[in-house]
Amino acid sequence: MSDEKSLNFIEEIIEKDLAEGNYTNILTRFPPEPNGYLHIGHAKSICLNFGLALKYGGKTNLRFDDTNPSTEETEYVNSIKEDVEWLGFTWANEFYASDYFENLYQYAIQLIHKGLAYVDDSTSEEIAEQKGTPTIPGKRNKYALRTVEENLQLFADMRNGKYADGAKVLRAKIDMANANMLLRDPILYRIKHAHHHRTGDNWCIYPMYDFAHGQSDSLENITHSICTLEFIPHRALYDWFIEKLEIFPSHQYEFARLNMTYTVMSKRKLLQLVNENYVTGWDDPRMPTITGMRRRGYTPESIRDFCDKIGVAKRENLIDVGLLEFCVREHLNKIALRRMVVCDPIKVVITNFHNEVELLQSENNPEDSNGGFREIPFSKEIYIEREDFMENPPKKYFRLAPGQMVRLKSAYIIKCDEVIKDANNNIIEIHCSYIPESKSGHDTSGLHVKGTLHWVSIAHAITAEIRLYDRLFTVEDVANETEDFKTYINENSLTTIAKVYAEPALQDSNISARYQFLRKGYFTVDKEATNNQLIFNRTVTLKDTWAKEIKKQ
Ligand code: ATP
Ligand code: MG
């Protein structure tokens, strides 16, 4: 079932597995730890796991990897489900690693029975020291000599709360000299008298990631367990447990995590930004979180397209955020309703327009033939953008200037006749005349003008606040800089314009609407908007302004 695009390496593996009959049903999983909100890196993993299952007629489980009681919260669980759904994916099952605590406990007992696990009373410092270094083999201590019976008893006592945190651990007995340090008798269980968001106080011992993840995969019959490159050394351990426990043979495959320019992509760092008030919350529109991007106006389609375009790499790389913005622009161009908004107004009086109002028709979206029309009121007094007028323009200035003509979008051609100033020489208003034969769509004037300006009728305009966002950091590769990442915060990442003038069609905007404000960018309604106060977030500019900056240098 290959399409035109060449297969990525995981697709090749799956096609081979299907061809050889290793598996008949492809089952993947997305395994977030509920200790923060999902970010665009997770979106990559979601699109990959769900996308593969969809492509090969399989299924995907959503599994919360909630084995660490101290950092996990139900708030995060709910946000993760919301984000996965919003991205457009449906999971076959909602599972929790914590649901397997009893299974995992029994697996540990099996290992003890086989002489493959023991209770160790050493401190974490002693354990670290006995482990050796990559070049010096580790040494086993006396606790490794404990009998099966002794270990069974001690492990049961651990579970029953007989010991304090850190007093004992359960370790696998593998190979203290292995070049892969993770195989040097890794810890399987630690004691932690902590409340768990699901299991409450039922447990005071918790399995380590390595002892939980592979077995959870296996319990669910996951065929292809996809994770990021840092788990390569863990694969040997993943396979060892499955082999020794003789359980369903899930297999782990690793791909390069997504890193993106001008942002950070670790929940720990994102949490710092939230807790230290660098941003207003996880859903701040400058955050690389899915909830932040949603609030900013990104669409699920554009994020999926981005994840598809970056492909599946085997080596770490840094993706230009410009590519994400390109994908967003491409999608919004197709769906966004065109509207006119003036941010920094200057008044224009159309001296020869004598009707109270004329309702003009304008296409909602020229890219969408089914997009329909809206009405725009035109009247004697309008606002245009201050920067669209110059009293003494240079050559090739095609906007409004004394004696010059421009077209008002979807309306008429106007000519600037006079500039009215106050005693201090400040411009108060500009007097223009309009050409009645030049109406857009019915133009018989024979005039050709180069500039088209957006505008609003003053009497009909509504006001709104707009919020413009820029990169959250000033350097490309934030994670690889020498100083603390917060040193590189962009102080100017948010610009608020408290009062802009908008055409009345924007009055009934709702949170899911996407707009292109002519010449300004793509916008969406912010969640803080009320009936009395419209607020718009700029999702993305119309063009890549940063690309221009780079060319200029
Ligand atoms: P973080 O470092 O941001 O906390 P994590 O890997 O600890 O990320 P998990 O909740 O454990 O977060 O991740 C769930 C899944 O998403 C894992 O399979 C993980 O490999 C994947 N994932 C996390 N970050 C990225 C990323 N930047 N690119 C691709 N996949 C990622
Ligand atoms: Mg993690």
Side-chain angles (χ1 to χ4, degrees), residues 31 33 35 209 231 267:
E33 186 181 348
N35 61 349
Y209 171 88
F231 288 97
K267 280 180 276 187

Side-chain angles (χ1 to χ4, degrees), residues 378-433:
F378 181 69
S379 69
K380 192 178 185 75
E381 294 187 340
I382 64 168
Y383 281 141
I384 63 166
E385 213 70 66
R386 187 172 297 275
E387 62 172 24
D388 284 339
F389 174 78
M390 266 182 106
E391 206 176 356
N392 299 298
K395 267 190 189 155
K396 295 201 174 165
Y397 182 80
F398 299 122
R399 304 183 207 177
L400 198 62
Q404 266 181 219
M405 287 197 275
V406 292
R407 171 168 293 283
L408 296 175
K409 175 73 186 170
S410 298
Y412 296 95
I413 292 173
I414 57 168
K415 179 167 177 251
C416 173
D417 303 317
E418 197 182 359
V419 181
I420 312 296
K421 296 182 176 182
D422 66 12
N424 297 322
N425 218 29
N426 297 318
I427 300 174
I428 313 170
E429 55 189 46
I430 301 161
H431 285 191
C432 294
S433 43

